Amino acid sequence: MSNPPPLAGGPQGPEALRPLLDTVLDALHDGAIARGGPLPAGGPHTVTTRLRDVIGDPLPHHGTGPDTALRTLVQALAEGAADPADPLCAAHLHCPPLALAAAADLAASALNPSMDSWDQAPAASALETLVTDALAHEVYGDTGHPGQPGRPGQSGRPGQSARPGQSARPGPPGHPQALVTTGGTEANQLALLLARESHASEGPLQLITGDGAHHSLPRAAWLLGLPDPVTVPAPTGTLDPAALDEALTDLPGPKLVAATAGTTDAGLIDPLPEIADVCEHHGARLHIDASYGAGLLFSPTRRTQLTGLDRAATVTLDLHKLGWQPVAAGLLAVRNPADLTPLTHHADYLNADDDTEAGLPDLLGRSLRTTRRPDILKIAVTLKALGRTGLGALVDQVCDQAQEFAATLHAHPGFDLYDTPTLSTVLFRPHGAPDERIAHIRRTLLTQGRAVLGRARMDGRLWLKATLLNPHTQPGDLAQLLKLVEGNTAR
Amino acid sequence: MSNPPPLAGGPQGPEALRPLLDTVLDALHDGAIARGGPLPAGGPHTVTTRLRDVIGDPLPHHGTGPDTALRTLVQALAEGAADPADPLCAAHLHCPPLALAAAADLAASALNPSMDSWDQAPAASALETLVTDALAHEVYGDTGHPGQPGRPGQSGRPGQSARPGQSARPGPPGHPQALVTTGGTEANQLALLLARESHASEGPLQLITGDGAHHSLPRAAWLLGLPDPVTVPAPTGTLDPAALDEALTDLPGPKLVAATAGTTDAGLIDPLPEIADVCEHHGARLHIDASYGAGLLFSPTRRTQLTGLDRAATVTLDLHKLGWQPVAAGLLAVRNPADLTPLTHHADYLNADDDTEAGLPDLLGRSLRTTRRPDILKIAVTLKALGRTGLGALVDQVCDQAQEFAATLHAHPGFDLYDTPTLSTVLFRPHGAPDERIAHIRRTLLTQGRAVLGRARMDGRLWLKATLLNPHTQPGDLAQLLKLVEGNTAR
């Protein structure tokens, strides 16, 4: 082979990338125009058939060359996307990424650092440590510093309110840290694993969750070979401290309670301080899945909704939700860094003892993955570009949208509103429609390519779910969404 | 907030991205020039201090705006990178990604599909199914089709040699499939999990590996709550079938043997057909970690080195090694799709029964992750752009480089060569140098910023490791590498 295709890295990489990126941008644009809405019309069969026709043989003997492959496949992907940048794509915790975060992510792809050894990621390793420390501090404040109590309202940053629930008790030695994960699911797995190992000598760990907790928690218990979780009924959607207290009473062995700050179905926040009290009383370890809710930390007015967060041993964050990152951007904040010891891992080719003694640091023990993309880069660029103020404004924007949308629904005789939103999720249903109709409306809008709405069962009934994560959404967009639902209600 | 920052998606996304990408490309270029070599000089303390100075407060109250944040952080990352696009960065299975793959990956960031439900990734779901089926077919051929035996040499694709080790026995019903993973580590975890679940009723699964197997295998056993693995000594670097036979004899309970096609230390391939025979004899399930070696499938002349691969129940592939993808691009090929049943997963908000009955497909059961980036896009673009021929030529290129480099070392009086390379890993050492000197040479070259070499212990001695994964590397580059090593040998 005389002329291998150009690489993305090195001094020549940028010039090789430039025309290819032009092709990608053109294809993204043309695909979005061809789609003409939040998702492609026609439903799964139509989309799959079209894609199959475009791609032909996915592994041909001779290739088409870069330009054709990029143009056709990227355009097909864009034309067949459910694009969260469209205001009517509002089903899931599936955010539209900021352009600056997507641009930063390109540099991760081009340089391809791998976080499992220093000599594959010198600067990226340093960056990850700095930024994860800052995010862990955002969750826990200074509670972790040895002998130093939390300092409510003394963060020294101008205009910032007190850290939520920063308690006066001294934290464990060492400062809180955070692990980078592929999302809330991996963060929840790690939280369970760290709890399992912390209590390994005391018998099998028992997970206790409310029944509104994310499905990744029981799945993680299964993965890790732990007993089936105890599920506390949560008819109102949040974990009731009294019911939790009852469930924990006389429950033998080591216990991990997983509470939620931002449920998937309704965006509800469990009563964190009361749950923390119950856990403390029963000697149960507390994990809080704040995949959705952690974004409130950036909002000066809303961060008090997270009071009690810092009382958890571990907290799941997910900046591909209220953080506007491309997937993946998950984190697990860990209050006591000693809890990370079980992840310590040695592989002679990556972190031989004599290399470590000679001063080569490594992040191999910060993940269960080995090769690992520097997802921290796009997060770092976003935090630096927007600051806490900019991110907080985005959070407030979508939460305010949700309040306004809920008010509209409340005032509308044709719709029932489930409740005033806690975060940015609004559950509603056309008044009097049976559950089957609700499910059908959602599927019809999907098949028409006109809206992507979610669904949730609350109070024994099925509701349409709008998860508002797009700061560019306007009231008119949501009015249009209601019209689309109304148009499909009577049929 | 009157004016939120622009999004990457939608019809306006490409225009918002364009100037930001220009900034990123300029910063990548300037960072590479400032670095001036394969990695930054000065060692960890210098790199960390510089980065800390550049970033300042990682989470400031007010942001700097996108342009400054992108320019400074991307340039700092590039300046502080160990860039695999530099021929002297050759330590690890850390490939330089192709520009076309990095460009394709941008589209994944911009559109942000998430693979856990159809309504977050309509076309991406179809694409993943098509491409993973093609890759599973590349591993297993048609052996999986019901009642249809493998067809050696009858693939119908022009110029392609027989699939490696395509045996005549009929496969299980259904066609082989592949799961997308974050890398070889997650693929190995999944292989162990699927084996654990397949044999759940028979008692705890016992993993058996050679001691050259990847560290992720014993770590996965720990994660999954399985007994400690039985490790078969492998003094020659590969798993000896006779030693395996002995280890399996009288070993009770369900057994999973993990063999390796491309060891991390020396790029060796276990004797796969003989190992498969031993496994069959003992009723042990076989997994093959071909993270490194699977790339040989694309080479018409080298794919016979993988004979026996299709006899494994599961095979790990990793296209961020011999596939020139940005991280992550792992896969687990699964011969019998019924083995995937334990991953079946329901979450009402993602795949409610009535939605499934109404024809909405979903890939939730294709991963342990929930939110999941479409890493298949860059893979699909690469396969389509280069074809099997183009990828095979790249594989041959780096394997040929390794052969030539080994020949040079063999002829050089100042160096010892460990062995003729099987893949593209070359182990060597300055003749007569003690182990401590070998380790010191590697660290000195790192600190000087002049070369990134790996290390491996074989035959009881420490060797320098060059893992050649850059198809642009020239013989002169490797001659320079030897000069650098020589220059540090005598001191």
Side-chain angles (χ1 to χ4, degrees):
Chain A
M1 171 182 271
S2 55
N3 199 12
L7 302 174
Q12 284 79 43
E15 280 319 298
L17 281 166
R18 212 175 286 273
L20 299 170
L21 293 172
D22 281 341
T23 300
V24 168
L25 293 180
D26 291 347
L28 285 173
H29 176 267
D30 295 349
I33 297 295
R35 190 179 65 236
L39 84 165
H45 182 71
T46 303
V47 171
T48 300
T49 305
R50 195 181 308 146
L51 190 91
R52 196 185 292 270
D53 290 348
V54 167
I55 195 171
D57 183 354
L59 179 47
H61 192 62
H62 290 291
T64 63
D67 200 64
T68 303
L70 275 172
R71 181 173 297 278
T72 54
L73 286 179
V74 171
Q75 182 164 338
L77 202 82
E79 191 171 342
D83 188 346
D86 188 300
L88 300 194
C89 182
H92 297 286
L93 288 162
H94 173 215
C95 81
L98 297 174
L100 69 97
D105 208 17
L106 172 70
S109 296
L111 290 168
N112 207 28
S114 180
M115 309 305 295
D116 53 324
S117 69
W118 184 85
D119 62 2
Q120 294 174 88
S125 299
L127 186 68
E128 180 171 299
T129 302
L130 286 170
V131 177
T132 53
D133 278 359
L135 287 166
H137 187 267
E138 193 68 9
V139 172
Y140 286 110
D142 292 323
T143 55
H145 282 298
Q148 185 179 358
R151 306 171 304 165
Q154 296 176 26
S155 72
R157 296 198 179 98
Q160 193 194 356
S161 63
R163 295 186 185 286
Q166 231 170 45
S167 48
R169 73 192 60 129
H175 64 276
Q177 298 184 11
L179 307 175
V180 178
T181 71
T182 50
T185 292
E186 186 189 343
N188 284 343
Q189 282 170 10
L190 281 168
L192 228 70
L193 177 70
L194 297 182
R196 183 187 83 177
E197 296 302 308
S198 278
H199 299 278
S201 63
E202 303 159 44
L205 181 79
Q206 180 65 59
L207 173 67
I208 302 100
T209 68
D211 72 3
H214 195 248
H215 60 85
S216 60
L217 286 158
R219 203 181 198 199
W222 165 73
L223 176 73
L224 300 180
L226 296 173
D228 286 342
V230 171
T231 305
V232 181
T236 63
T238 58
L239 182 58
D240 173 40
L244 176 65
D245 181 65
E246 197 181 311
L248 291 179
T249 300
D250 301 329
L251 192 67
K255 293 171 270 292
L256 176 70
V257 171
T260 308
T263 58
T264 311
D265 278 348
L268 302 176
I269 298 174
D270 288 340
L272 305 179
E274 293 79 5
I275 288 172
D277 288 342
V278 172
C279 289
E280 211 166 88
H281 176 71
H282 289 281
R285 182 180 168 108
L286 176 61
H287 167 66
I288 299 178
D289 178 355
S291 293
Y292 183 8
L296 299 183
L297 287 168
F298 302 122
S299 161
T301 54
R302 287 183 163 92
R303 58 182 291 146
T304 53
Q305 289 183 258
L306 295 178
T307 295
L309 192 68
D310 67 340
R311 293 180 63 188
T314 45
V315 176
T316 292
L317 290 80
D318 204 344
L319 296 176
H320 57 237
K321 296 186 168 71
L322 287 180
W324 294 278
Q325 298 301 300
V327 173
L331 294 141
L332 181 73
V334 179
R335 183 186 168 99
N336 181 356
D339 282 358
L340 295 173
T341 308
L343 292 179
T344 302
H345 194 61
H346 287 289
D348 257 359
Y349 73 99
L350 294 172
N351 61 355
D353 286 344
D354 60 304
D355 278 350
T356 302
E357 280 158 27
L360 286 185
D362 73 277
L363 300 179
L364 186 60
R366 310 287 296 187
S367 180
L368 290 172
R369 287 176 281 162
T370 310
T371 298
R372 186 159 63 84
R373 181 183 177 89
D375 287 317
I376 203 68
L377 175 63
K378 61 194 172 193
I379 296 173
V381 168
T382 304
L383 297 179
K384 197 71 188 171
L386 301 189
R388 193 181 283 105
T389 309
L391 271 167
L394 295 177
V395 170
D396 286 338
Q397 181 81 4
V398 297
C399 291
D400 288 347
Q401 275 174 22
Q403 295 294 335
E404 288 162 28
F405 186 44
T408 303
L409 285 160
H410 186 64
H412 195 302
F415 287 100
D416 295 340
L417 171 71
Y418 173 70
D419 205 351
T420 305
T422 302
L423 282 162
S424 66
T425 301
V426 182
L427 302 183
F428 64 102
R429 42 184 293 149
H431 184 70
D435 285 356
E436 297 69 26
R437 169 58 54 186
I438 302 290
H440 186 74
I441 290 170
R442 186 183 100 85
R443 288 195 294 266
T444 303
L445 293 173
L446 286 179
T447 307
Q448 292 171 343
R450 300 177 82 176
V452 191
L453 278 173
R455 55 185 278 168
R457 185 166 293 280
M458 299 293 288
D459 273 352
R461 290 186 300 171
L462 199 61
W463 298 81
L464 291 169
K465 175 170 80 168
T467 310
L468 303 180
L469 294 179
N470 185 340
H472 290 268
T473 295
Q474 298 297 319
D477 298 319
L478 298 173
Q480 189 193 342
L481 184 63
L482 287 191
K483 281 211 188 313
L484 288 171
V485 173
E486 280 183 297
N488 279 285
T489 300
R491 275 184 273 172
Chain B
M1 171 181 273
S2 57
N3 199 12
L7 303 173
Q12 284 80 42
E15 279 320 298
L17 282 166
R18 211 176 288 273
L20 299 170
L21 293 172
D22 281 340
T23 300
V24 169
L25 293 180
D26 290 349
L28 285 172
H29 175 267
D30 294 349
I33 297 295
R35 189 180 66 236
L39 86 165
H45 182 71
T46 304
V47 170
T48 301
T49 304
R50 195 180 309 147
L51 191 91
R52 198 184 291 267
D53 290 347
V54 167
I55 195 170
D57 182 355
L59 178 48
H61 192 63
H62 290 291
T64 63
D67 201 63
T68 302
L70 275 171
R71 180 173 298 276
T72 55
L73 287 178
V74 170
Q75 183 165 337
L77 202 83
E79 191 172 340
D83 188 346
D86 188 300
L88 300 194
C89 183
H92 296 286
L93 288 162
H94 175 213
C95 80
L98 298 174
L100 69 98
D105 209 17
L106 171 70
S109 296
L111 290 168
N112 207 29
S114 180
M115 308 305 295
D116 52 323
S117 69
W118 184 84
D119 61 4
Q120 294 175 90
S125 298
L127 185 68
E128 179 172 299
T129 302
L130 285 169
V131 176
T132 53
D133 279 359
L135 287 167
H137 187 266
E138 193 68 8
V139 172
Y140 286 111
D142 292 323
T143 54
H145 283 297
Q148 185 178 357
R151 307 171 304 165
Q154 295 176 28
S155 73
R157 295 198 179 99
Q160 192 195 358
S161 63
R163 296 185 184 285
Q166 232 170 45
S167 48
R169 74 192 59 128
H175 64 275
Q177 298 183 12
L179 307 176
V180 178
T181 71
T182 50
T185 292
E186 186 190 344
N188 285 343
Q189 281 171 8
L190 281 168
L192 227 69
L193 178 69
L194 297 182
R196 182 187 84 177
E197 296 300 309
S198 280
H199 298 279
S201 63
E202 304 159 43
L205 181 78
Q206 179 63 60
L207 172 66
I208 301 98
T209 68
D211 71 4
H214 194 249
H215 60 86
S216 60
L217 286 158
R219 203 181 199 199
W222 166 73
L223 176 72
L224 300 179
L226 296 173
D228 285 343
V230 171
T231 305
V232 181
T236 63
T238 57
L239 181 58
D240 173 40
L244 177 65
D245 181 66
E246 197 180 313
L248 292 179
T249 300
D250 301 328
L251 191 67
K255 292 172 270 293
L256 176 70
V257 171
T260 308
T263 58
T264 310
D265 278 347
L268 302 176
I269 299 174
D270 289 340
L272 305 179
E274 293 78 5
I275 288 172
D277 288 343
V278 172
C279 289
E280 210 166 270
H281 176 70
H282 290 280
R285 182 179 167 112
L286 176 61
H287 168 66
I288 299 176
D289 178 354
S291 293
Y292 183 9
L296 298 182
L297 287 168
F298 303 122
S299 160
T301 54
R302 287 184 163 91
R303 58 183 291 147
T304 52
Q305 290 182 258
L306 295 178
T307 295
L309 192 68
D310 67 340
R311 293 179 62 188
T314 45
V315 176
T316 291
L317 289 79
D318 205 343
L319 296 176
H320 58 237
K321 296 186 167 72
L322 287 180
W324 294 279
Q325 299 300 300
V327 172
L331 294 142
L332 181 74
V334 179
R335 182 186 168 99
N336 180 355
D339 282 356
L340 296 172
T341 308
L343 291 178
T344 302
H345 194 59
H346 287 289
D348 258 359
Y349 73 99
L350 293 172
N351 60 357
D353 287 344
D354 60 303
D355 278 351
T356 302
E357 280 159 25
L360 286 185
D362 73 278
L363 301 179
L364 186 60
R366 310 287 294 188
S367 181
L368 290 172
R369 286 175 282 162
T370 310
T371 297
R372 185 158 64 83
R373 181 184 177 90
D375 286 318
I376 203 68
L377 175 63
K378 62 196 172 193
I379 296 173
V381 168
T382 304
L383 298 179
K384 197 70 188 173
L386 301 189
R388 190 181 286 105
T389 309
L391 270 168
L394 294 177
V395 171
D396 286 338
Q397 180 81 4
V398 297
C399 291
D400 288 348
Q401 275 174 21
Q403 293 294 335
E404 288 161 28
F405 185 44
T408 302
L409 286 159
H410 186 64
H412 195 304
F415 288 100
D416 295 340
L417 171 71
Y418 173 69
D419 204 353
T420 305
T422 302
L423 282 161
S424 65
T425 301
V426 183
L427 301 184
F428 64 102
R429 42 184 293 148
H431 184 72
D435 284 358
E436 295 69 26
R437 170 59 51 187
I438 302 290
H440 186 74
I441 291 170
R442 185 183 100 85
R443 288 194 295 264
T444 303
L445 292 173
L446 285 180
T447 307
Q448 293 171 342
R450 299 177 83 175
V452 190
L453 278 172
R455 55 186 277 169
R457 186 166 292 280
M458 300 292 290
D459 273 351
R461 290 186 299 170
L462 198 61
W463 299 80
L464 290 170
K465 176 171 80 167
T467 310
L468 304 180
L469 294 179
N470 185 341
H472 290 268
T473 296
Q474 299 296 320
D477 298 319
L478 298 172
Q480 190 193 342
L481 185 63
L482 287 191
K483 281 210 188 313
L484 288 171
V485 173
E486 280 183 299
N488 280 285
T489 299
R491 275 183 276 172

